[in-house]
């Protein structure tokens, strides 16, 4: 079955960077885009951007432009999201999400989430 | 950016009740809308996509409707397992999520 397995929780100081991995299994990794979404406690999810594992093309939400980088390693079917210049407001659970597209598109698979805590 | 406004923020209903959650988009999104259910400590789970299509394995008591700017999620006969937070999600132009509706069982 389709699975997205993310790396473990991270604790970072303000100004540092964090890089989260998302390993895909159960399908052809290069066939569907991976999006990254974060969710602060008690808030709705917030979209950060997308990446095509096939081409490596990316698109980022304006809010994160300049601070976020999405990459992939097709040999290990792994997507990565790096967020730099961390501040306390970046404390959240971060999810990778597969966007399945056939005749219609939908987001059917989410990673288990990675808690990132930013604190001095 | 497209804003998504969900209502109500919280609702309390009894087992067997019909429950409706509304989501309004700040501009037309055609029918590029999904609904998710999220329980504490877990990732959101897809219920409905393209406004009205039931995702595989989701109980038929869940249904979605609407197009343009106004959408609804209906739970036909509320069950104890439906206690959760529900989010709408537009994917017409980039992505935006609603702020959520917490459904409690009386």
């Amino acid at each position: 079955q389709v699975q997205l397995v993310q790396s473990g929780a991270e604790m970072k100081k303000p100004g540092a960077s964090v890089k989260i991995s998302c390993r895909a299994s159960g399908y052809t990794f290069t066939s569907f885009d991976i999006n990254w979404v974060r969710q602060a406690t008690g808030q709705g999810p917030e979209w950060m951007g997308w990446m095509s594992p096939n081409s490596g093309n990316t698109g980022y939400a304006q809010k994160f432009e300049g601070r976020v980088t999405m990459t992939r390693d097709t040999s290990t079917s792994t997507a990565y999201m790096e967020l730099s210049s961390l501040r306390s407001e970046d404390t959240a659970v971060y999810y990778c999400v597969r966007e399945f597209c056939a005749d219609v598109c939908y987001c059917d698979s989410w990673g288990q989430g990675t808690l990132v805590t930013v604190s001095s | 950016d497209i804003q998504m406004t969900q209502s109500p923020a919280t609702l309390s209903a009894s087992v067997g009740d019909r429950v409706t959650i509304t989501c309004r988009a700040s501009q037309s999104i055609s029918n590029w809308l999904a609904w998710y259910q999220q329980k504490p400590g877990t990732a959101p789970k897809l219920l409905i996509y393209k406004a009205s299509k039931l995702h595989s394995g989701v109980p038929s008591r869940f249904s979605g409707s609407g197009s343009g700017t106004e959408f609804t999620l209906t739970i036909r006969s509320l069950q104890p397992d439906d206690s959760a937070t529900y989010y709408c999600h537009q994917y017409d132009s980039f992505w935006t999520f609603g702020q959520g509706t917490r459904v409690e069982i009386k």
Side-chain angles (χ1 to χ4, degrees):
Chain A
Q1 76 282 21
V2 174
Q3 268 198 307
L4 300 174
V5 178
Q6 298 182 219
S7 48
E10 302 264 11
M11 185 162 287
K12 295 291 183 181
K13 293 195 183 303
S17 297
V18 68
K19 189 171 185 177
I20 301 169
S21 67
C22 169
R23 182 168 52 85
S25 62
Y27 73 100
T28 301
F29 176 62
T30 52
S31 293
F32 306 108
D33 291 353
I34 293 287
N35 287 258
W36 289 87
V37 167
R38 75 179 188 180
Q39 187 174 29
T41 301
Q43 304 292 315
E46 179 179 32
W47 179 72
M48 301 180 70
W50 66 270
M51 180 194 64
S52 164
N54 184 43
S55 64
N57 289 346
T58 57
Y60 303 137
Q62 192 170 8
K63 174 176 180 175
F64 299 102
E65 281 275 12
R67 278 211 303 147
V68 70
T69 305
M70 296 176 187
T71 57
R72 90 287 192 213
D73 181 345
T74 56
S75 69
T76 60
S77 299
T78 303
Y80 298 92
M81 188 284 297
E82 184 169 21
L83 187 64
S84 62
S85 302
L86 290 168
R87 35 212 188 228
S88 58
E89 311 89 88
D90 295 317
T91 295
V93 176
Y94 290 73
Y95 295 100
C96 57
V97 186
R98 181 183 86 151
E99 185 172 11
F100 174 87
C101 288
D103 58 331
V104 67
C105 293
Y106 51 85
C107 303
D108 62 340
S109 297
W110 293 57
Q112 84 276 20
T114 297
L115 175 62
V116 175
T117 304
V118 183
S119 174
S120 54
Chain B
D1 290 4
I2 298 174
Q3 307 303 316
M4 304 302 291
T5 304
Q6 253 182 270
S7 60
T10 307
L11 71 86
S12 182
S14 300
V15 172
D17 282 354
R18 180 186 182 96
V19 164
T20 299
I21 299 168
T22 297
C23 189
R24 289 188 173 87
S26 58
Q27 64 190 70
S28 177
I29 58 170
S30 183
N31 57 2
W32 296 111
L33 184 103
W35 290 96
Y36 297 88
Q37 177 193 68
Q38 187 176 32
K39 297 187 178 181
T42 68
K45 171 189 163 187
L46 178 65
L47 300 173
I48 302 285
Y49 63 95
K50 213 176 177 191
S52 62
K53 296 190 180 297
L54 192 69
H55 183 50
S56 174
V58 175
S60 60
R61 64 180 180 275
F62 291 93
S63 64
S65 64
S67 67
T69 62
E70 189 147 340
F71 302 87
T72 58
L73 172 71
T74 299
I75 308 174
R76 179 167 35 87
S77 175
L78 192 67
Q79 299 301 304
D81 188 51
D82 300 336
S83 177
T85 301
Y86 294 82
Y87 293 99
C88 61
H89 163 213
Q90 73 81 15
Y91 51 109
D92 176 65
S93 174
F94 301 116
W95 288 12
T96 321
F97 293 83
Q99 284 305 297
T101 295
R102 184 177 174 187
V103 173
E104 300 172 345
I105 309 294
K106 281 183 186 172

Short mmCIF file of all heavy atoms in Angstrom, two decimals, chain A residues 42-64:
data_model
loop_
_atom_site.label_atom_id
_atom_site.label_comp_id
_atom_site.label_asym_id
_atom_site.label_seq_id
_atom_site.Cartn_x
_atom_site.Cartn_y
_atom_site.Cartn_z
N GLY A 42 -3.64 23.64 17.04
CA GLY A 42 -4.93 24.30 17.06
C GLY A 42 -5.28 25.08 15.81
O GLY A 42 -6.32 25.75 15.75
N GLN A 43 -4.44 25.00 14.79
CA GLN A 43 -4.65 25.75 13.55
C GLN A 43 -4.98 24.82 12.39
O GLN A 43 -4.72 23.61 12.45
CB GLN A 43 -3.39 26.54 13.20
CG GLN A 43 -2.91 27.48 14.28
CD GLN A 43 -3.87 28.63 14.50
OE1 GLN A 43 -4.36 29.25 13.55
NE2 GLN A 43 -4.17 28.91 15.75
N GLY A 44 -5.50 25.41 11.32
CA GLY A 44 -5.68 24.65 10.10
C GLY A 44 -4.35 24.44 9.40
O GLY A 44 -3.38 25.13 9.67
N PRO A 45 -4.30 23.45 8.50
CA PRO A 45 -3.06 23.22 7.76
C PRO A 45 -2.71 24.43 6.90
O PRO A 45 -3.58 25.20 6.48
CB PRO A 45 -3.41 22.01 6.89
CG PRO A 45 -4.55 21.33 7.60
CD PRO A 45 -5.32 22.46 8.21
N GLU A 46 -1.42 24.58 6.62
CA GLU A 46 -0.90 25.68 5.81
C GLU A 46 0.01 25.10 4.74
O GLU A 46 0.99 24.41 5.05
CB GLU A 46 -0.13 26.66 6.70
CG GLU A 46 0.47 27.83 5.96
CD GLU A 46 1.21 28.79 6.88
OE1 GLU A 46 1.78 28.33 7.90
OE2 GLU A 46 1.25 29.99 6.58
N TRP A 47 -0.29 25.41 3.48
CA TRP A 47 0.49 24.88 2.36
C TRP A 47 1.79 25.62 2.21
O TRP A 47 1.82 26.87 2.27
CB TRP A 47 -0.33 25.00 1.08
CG TRP A 47 0.35 24.53 -0.15
CD1 TRP A 47 0.61 23.23 -0.49
CD2 TRP A 47 0.84 25.33 -1.23
NE1 TRP A 47 1.24 23.19 -1.72
CE2 TRP A 47 1.39 24.46 -2.19
CE3 TRP A 47 0.87 26.71 -1.47
CZ2 TRP A 47 1.96 24.91 -3.38
CZ3 TRP A 47 1.43 27.16 -2.65
CH2 TRP A 47 1.98 26.27 -3.59
N MET A 48 2.89 24.86 1.99
CA MET A 48 4.21 25.46 1.85
C MET A 48 4.72 25.42 0.41
O MET A 48 5.45 26.33 -0.02
CB MET A 48 5.22 24.73 2.74
CG MET A 48 4.85 24.77 4.21
SD MET A 48 6.06 23.90 5.22
CE MET A 48 7.47 25.01 5.08
N GLY A 49 4.34 24.37 -0.34
CA GLY A 49 4.82 24.28 -1.71
C GLY A 49 4.72 22.88 -2.25
O GLY A 49 4.28 21.96 -1.58
N TRP A 50 5.12 22.71 -3.50
CA TRP A 50 5.06 21.43 -4.18
C TRP A 50 6.35 21.15 -4.91
O TRP A 50 7.14 22.06 -5.23
CB TRP A 50 3.90 21.39 -5.18
CG TRP A 50 4.08 22.35 -6.33
CD1 TRP A 50 3.67 23.65 -6.39
CD2 TRP A 50 4.74 22.10 -7.58
NE1 TRP A 50 4.03 24.22 -7.58
CE2 TRP A 50 4.69 23.30 -8.35
CE3 TRP A 50 5.36 20.99 -8.14
CZ2 TRP A 50 5.23 23.40 -9.62
CZ3 TRP A 50 5.91 21.09 -9.42
CH2 TRP A 50 5.85 22.29 -10.14
N MET A 51 6.56 19.87 -5.21
CA MET A 51 7.70 19.45 -5.99
C MET A 51 7.29 18.29 -6.89
O MET A 51 6.54 17.40 -6.47
CB MET A 51 8.84 18.98 -5.08
CG MET A 51 10.08 18.53 -5.84
SD MET A 51 11.21 17.63 -4.80
CE MET A 51 10.25 16.20 -4.41
N SER A 52 7.76 18.30 -8.12
CA SER A 52 7.60 17.17 -9.01
C SER A 52 8.80 16.25 -8.83
O SER A 52 9.92 16.63 -9.17
CB SER A 52 7.53 17.62 -10.47
OG SER A 52 7.76 16.51 -11.32
N PRO A 53 8.59 15.04 -8.29
CA PRO A 53 9.72 14.12 -8.15
C PRO A 53 10.30 13.71 -9.50
O PRO A 53 11.46 13.30 -9.58
CB PRO A 53 9.11 12.91 -7.43
CG PRO A 53 7.94 13.46 -6.70
CD PRO A 53 7.40 14.51 -7.63
N ASN A 54 9.52 13.83 -10.56
CA ASN A 54 10.00 13.44 -11.88
C ASN A 54 11.02 14.44 -12.42
O ASN A 54 12.12 14.08 -12.82
CB ASN A 54 8.82 13.32 -12.84
CG ASN A 54 9.24 12.83 -14.21
OD1 ASN A 54 10.05 11.90 -14.32
ND2 ASN A 54 8.72 13.46 -15.24
N SER A 55 10.64 15.72 -12.42
CA SER A 55 11.49 16.75 -13.02
C SER A 55 12.34 17.50 -12.00
O SER A 55 13.33 18.13 -12.36
CB SER A 55 10.62 17.77 -13.76
OG SER A 55 9.78 18.44 -12.83
N GLY A 56 11.91 17.48 -10.74
CA GLY A 56 12.55 18.30 -9.72
C GLY A 56 12.00 19.72 -9.68
O GLY A 56 12.42 20.51 -8.84
N ASN A 57 11.06 20.03 -10.56
CA ASN A 57 10.46 21.36 -10.54
C ASN A 57 9.75 21.60 -9.21
O ASN A 57 9.19 20.68 -8.62
CB ASN A 57 9.45 21.52 -11.68
CG ASN A 57 10.12 21.62 -13.03
OD1 ASN A 57 11.33 21.83 -13.12
ND2 ASN A 57 9.36 21.45 -14.09
N THR A 58 9.78 22.85 -8.79
CA THR A 58 9.16 23.22 -7.52
C THR A 58 8.32 24.49 -7.65
O THR A 58 8.51 25.27 -8.60
CB THR A 58 10.23 23.47 -6.43
OG1 THR A 58 11.13 24.49 -6.91
CG2 THR A 58 11.00 22.21 -6.10
N GLY A 59 7.42 24.68 -6.69
CA GLY A 59 6.66 25.92 -6.57
C GLY A 59 6.41 26.16 -5.10
O GLY A 59 5.97 25.24 -4.39
N TYR A 60 6.72 27.34 -4.65
CA TYR A 60 6.63 27.63 -3.22
C TYR A 60 5.58 28.69 -2.94
O TYR A 60 5.39 29.63 -3.73
CB TYR A 60 7.98 28.11 -2.69
CG TYR A 60 9.13 27.15 -2.93
CD1 TYR A 60 10.37 27.62 -3.35
CD2 TYR A 60 8.97 25.78 -2.72
CE1 TYR A 60 11.43 26.73 -3.57
CE2 TYR A 60 10.02 24.90 -2.94
CZ TYR A 60 11.25 25.38 -3.37
OH TYR A 60 12.29 24.51 -3.57
N ALA A 61 4.93 28.57 -1.78
CA ALA A 61 4.03 29.62 -1.34
C ALA A 61 4.85 30.89 -1.11
O ALA A 61 5.99 30.83 -0.63
CB ALA A 61 3.32 29.21 -0.06
N GLN A 62 4.26 32.01 -1.46
CA GLN A 62 4.99 33.28 -1.38
C GLN A 62 5.54 33.51 0.03
O GLN A 62 6.66 34.04 0.18
CB GLN A 62 4.04 34.42 -1.77
CG GLN A 62 4.73 35.75 -2.00
CD GLN A 62 3.81 36.79 -2.62
OE1 GLN A 62 2.60 36.59 -2.75
NE2 GLN A 62 4.38 37.90 -3.02
N LYS A 63 4.80 33.09 1.03
CA LYS A 63 5.21 33.30 2.42
C LYS A 63 6.56 32.66 2.73
O LYS A 63 7.30 33.14 3.58
CB LYS A 63 4.13 32.72 3.36
CG LYS A 63 4.47 32.73 4.82
CD LYS A 63 3.32 32.22 5.65
CE LYS A 63 3.65 32.22 7.14
NZ LYS A 63 2.52 31.85 7.98
N PHE A 64 6.88 31.56 2.01
CA PHE A 64 8.09 30.81 2.32
C PHE A 64 9.21 30.98 1.29
O PHE A 64 10.30 30.44 1.46
CB PHE A 64 7.75 29.32 2.46
CG PHE A 64 6.76 29.04 3.55
CD1 PHE A 64 5.42 28.80 3.26
CD2 PHE A 64 7.16 29.04 4.88
CE1 PHE A 64 4.50 28.57 4.27
CE2 PHE A 64 6.25 28.81 5.90
CZ PHE A 64 4.92 28.57 5.58
#
